[in-house]
Structure formats: structure tokens, C-alpha cells
Amino acid sequence: PEYKELNKRAQKADELEKINSQLSTELLETKEHLETTKNRLEEEIRLLRELLRLERIRKYGPKSEILNNGQLELLLHNFLEYLKEHCKHWFVENLCP
């Protein structure tokens, strides 16, 4: 009886060890996948920020690089308000569905 019980416990320990090994492998793979995804997204964000910077330079000139985001948003808002007032017809035709 004791031998059977010890044998069962040894088998159970082996099964648990296999499960632990499988989970460790899956966890490592998931961690690597997340790290790869994180790096890809960080690079994508960096590229999008650079595109935004270049677009601001194109639209507002080289001095736009010294403006902070709030100033740029205000500039854009004021520009759109100007368009609405002075170019209503064009604005409606081109920017409104």
C-alpha cells in the first residue's frame, strides 16, 4: 500500500512538473511576443510623431518646431476660424460633407 501511494505521488509530481514546464515555456513565448509588439508599437509611435513634425513644418514653416502642442492647436483652431469667416463658401464645399 505504501509503495502504491508513493508511486502515485511520484506520478503526480511528474505530471505537475510537465505542466509547470509547459506553462513556463508558454509564459516565456508570451513575454517575448509582448516585448516584440511593444518595440514595434514604440517604433510606430516614433515614426508617426516624426511625420506629424514634418507635416507641421510643411504647413506652418520651420518655426513651427519651436511651438508646443498647445500653441500649434491654437494656431490650427484660429486658422480654421479664419477660413470659416473669410472663405465660407470654399470651406463648406471642401471640408463639409
Side-chain angles (χ1 to χ4, degrees), residues 20-76:
N20 186 38
S21 177
Q22 289 171 342
L23 289 175
S24 294
T25 300
E26 289 177 22
L27 182 61
L28 183 60
E29 289 171 357
T30 300
K31 186 177 178 183
E32 289 171 355
H33 175 73
L34 288 173
E35 186 67 27
T36 300
T37 301
K38 177 183 165 257
N39 291 339
R40 180 183 57 77
L41 290 173
E42 285 175 346
E43 180 65 13
E44 192 173 315
I45 289 169
R46 188 189 68 73
L47 290 171
L48 288 170
R49 284 183 175 157
E50 181 62 14
L51 286 172
L52 180 59
R53 184 184 75 80
L54 293 172
E55 182 63 17
R56 286 175 177 162
I57 291 170
R58 185 188 71 75
K59 273 187 165 177
Y60 306 115
K63 291 188 179 189
S64 68
E65 283 199 283
I66 60 174
L67 300 176
N68 65 37
N69 285 341
Q71 291 169 319
L72 286 168
E73 287 176 24
L74 182 60
L75 180 63
L76 179 60

